[in-house]
Amino acid sequence: MPHRTDTIDDNPEAPMPRARRRMRGWRPLRRVALWLRSWLSWIGVRLLALMIVLVLLFSFINPPTTWTIIQGQREFPGRAARQWVGLDRISPHMVRAVVAAEDANFCNHWGFDMVEIRRVIASGSSRGASTITQQTAKNVFLWQGRSWPRKVMETVYTPMIEALWSKRRIVEVYLNIAEFGRGVFGIKAAAEHYFKTTPDKLTLRQSAALASILPAPRTRNPQTGSARTRSIVSGAETIRADGRDSCLRLGR
């Protein structure tokens, strides 16, 4: 005769309580979730390590090409070939002009211009606040176009570049891979294509005209007398006078 203390759980054939059945049903999904998290962590750590290695490598080796350059050369195969030019062989006017046009506080930030970002947010403007370092990260390692994956990777690359490259190296790489027109990549090709000269001989107004087309190089042409060019000339002279180009160690 069974005792009163005996319960249904003592019977192996008794049905399992609903809560226990539910927990046991979730176990395979939990194992999958743990495996997926472990796998993503494994991939993430190695991807981060690869990004660091590439940034370190290009701190002293010139990037051979980029996705944007490959695409542009396919679209416009007849344009002048890109050739690398060291910063010492580029006119200081050109360096100041591109800083004045694209990132006037370049020497004073760590890759993100928080002052400019706050100003854009406060104004409700749709224009970007991308720095030269961010543009270099995008142009060297990523692709064009707007997407969240690209922006996230750009945000990761930017502080790496600032940590491992000098400011002079950042500007040098930027000027040598930037698109200055349809199929025109790098400052040497741009100087030759538009002004039949070399980068070291560019005047301030020519430099400002080239810098003026960088936001939309496929739809603009450098005009030495345009309002945008005159504004960049003024900006370049200003950052020279107030020392905001000091990190670049340019000739006065």
Side-chain angles (χ1 to χ4, degrees), residues 37-101:
R37 185 176 70 176
S38 175
W39 184 79
L40 289 175
S41 298
W42 186 89
I43 293 294
V45 169
R46 280 151 182 79
L47 178 60
L48 185 63
L50 177 60
M51 292 168 69
I52 294 173
V53 169
L54 286 175
V55 173
L56 182 61
L57 186 67
F58 289 155
S59 68
F60 56 90
I61 295 178
N62 299 330
T65 189
T66 70
W67 291 114
T68 305
I69 291 174
I70 292 172
Q71 181 181 0
Q73 290 177 337
R74 286 176 179 173
E75 292 180 29
F76 310 101
R79 295 300 167 89
R82 183 180 66 95
Q83 297 182 38
W84 198 274
V85 182
L87 198 65
D88 291 333
R89 294 167 52 208
I90 300 174
S91 168
H93 295 312
M94 185 65 231
V95 180
R96 290 193 186 97
V98 77
V99 170

Side-chain angles (χ1 to χ4, degrees), residues 103-205:
D103 187 2
N105 295 317
F106 176 68
C107 286
N108 300 326
H109 63 63
W110 50 278
F112 304 98
D113 189 345
M114 303 309 297
V115 174
E116 186 63 21
I117 290 173
R118 285 192 289 267
R119 182 181 295 119
V120 170
I121 292 174
S123 67
S125 174
S126 60
R127 69 184 179 87
S130 183
T131 64
I132 287 176
T133 312
Q134 288 175 269
Q135 293 179 54
T136 301
K138 176 185 69 176
N139 291 342
V140 174
F141 301 104
L142 304 172
W143 60 92
Q144 303 299 315
R146 294 185 178 183
S147 66
W148 281 110
R150 198 223 74 195
K151 198 63 181 177
V152 168
M153 294 190 70
E154 177 188 306
T155 303
V156 176
Y157 268 119
T158 296
M160 289 184 188
I161 291 173
E162 284 281 340
L164 297 175
W165 297 8
S166 69
K167 291 285 189 176
R168 282 175 58 87
R169 178 60 174 172
I170 294 171
V171 172
E172 177 183 316
V173 173
Y174 177 73
L175 285 172
N176 276 282
I177 63 174
E179 185 174 13
F180 286 92
R182 295 174 178 268
V184 181
F185 291 94
I187 187 58
K188 189 176 190 305
E192 179 182 340
H193 180 74
Y194 292 111
F195 300 114
K196 308 303 180 186
T197 188
T198 54
D200 60 312
K201 296 179 181 178
L202 287 167
T203 67
L204 177 54
R205 194 164 291 276

